[in-house]
Amino acid sequence: MPEMQTGSGRILWLDAQKGVFILLVILGHVIQTTFPQDFHTQHLWCFTSSFRMPAFMALSGWIAYKPVQKRKLGLKDSIIRRARQLMFPYIVWSLLKFAVGGCYTLELLQGIILNPSGFYWYLWALFWIYVLYRCVQSLAAAIRCNETIVIGAVALFLLAAMTMLHTKLFGFDVIAYFFFYFFIGDCIRKYSKQFDKVFDPRSTRGRIILGVLTLYFVVAACY
């Protein structure tokens, strides 16, 4: 996909995509608030929840990927940068929510780290997904192995561990689940030319794939 940029260097379609996903997340929360008892039976909620967060994580993976020659920051510096962008606001907003919540129990305070399932869970999950992603990239470089293979193997291992362990400790379930979509986003940008050919609607293969995706979203909306 062509990367149309503004004068400041921002990619127009990327900003538009992020805006759409943010609006879908807001819509999801509106539906949950309006129908607190049976929001999961609302077709619109089922439809948007079937893809909004996976797509958001895939988009994050797309943004995170950089060719080796363009990786200006080392592992430590890149993690520190992401900590400032993601972990710092997660801790600050979680503590503020705790402070004004009116229920000051040790369990709630510990839950910020031990069970990060509140409003800001995606900041926690995205940070640790990025940390794992960069560490695996460094490992692949150290052992001189194709990083796509190594990252893909880790993604599959995490999915298997998630299904066997059934634990939410430290947000492991969402980290393991969404790392896979982050990896997909990485692959889409890394192999963009190949993906463009596969999803070309002018080809029979592309029409079949797009048809299957359309069917998936229809079923998700009606589930």
Side-chain angles (χ1 to χ4, degrees), residues 168-185:
K168 295 185 178 182
L169 189 63
F170 299 114
F172 175 78
D173 56 336
V174 292
I175 293 171
Y177 179 70
F178 286 115
F179 185 83
F180 178 76
Y181 293 102
F182 192 94
F183 167 63
I184 290 177

Side-chain angles (χ1 to χ4, degrees), residues 112-160:
I112 294 174
I113 303 299
L114 298 180
N115 184 30
S117 58
F119 295 140
Y120 318 113
W121 66 267
Y122 63 93
L123 294 174
W124 171 276
L126 187 55
F127 171 73
W128 289 111
I129 287 171
Y130 181 81
V131 169
L132 182 58
Y133 170 75
R134 290 291 285 118
C135 287
V136 176
Q137 278 185 327
S138 297
L139 172 63
I143 63 177
R144 297 183 179 180
C145 185
N146 186 306
E147 70 175 36
T148 301
I149 295 176
V150 180
I151 298 172
V154 170
L156 294 176
F157 172 79
L158 288 174
L159 287 177

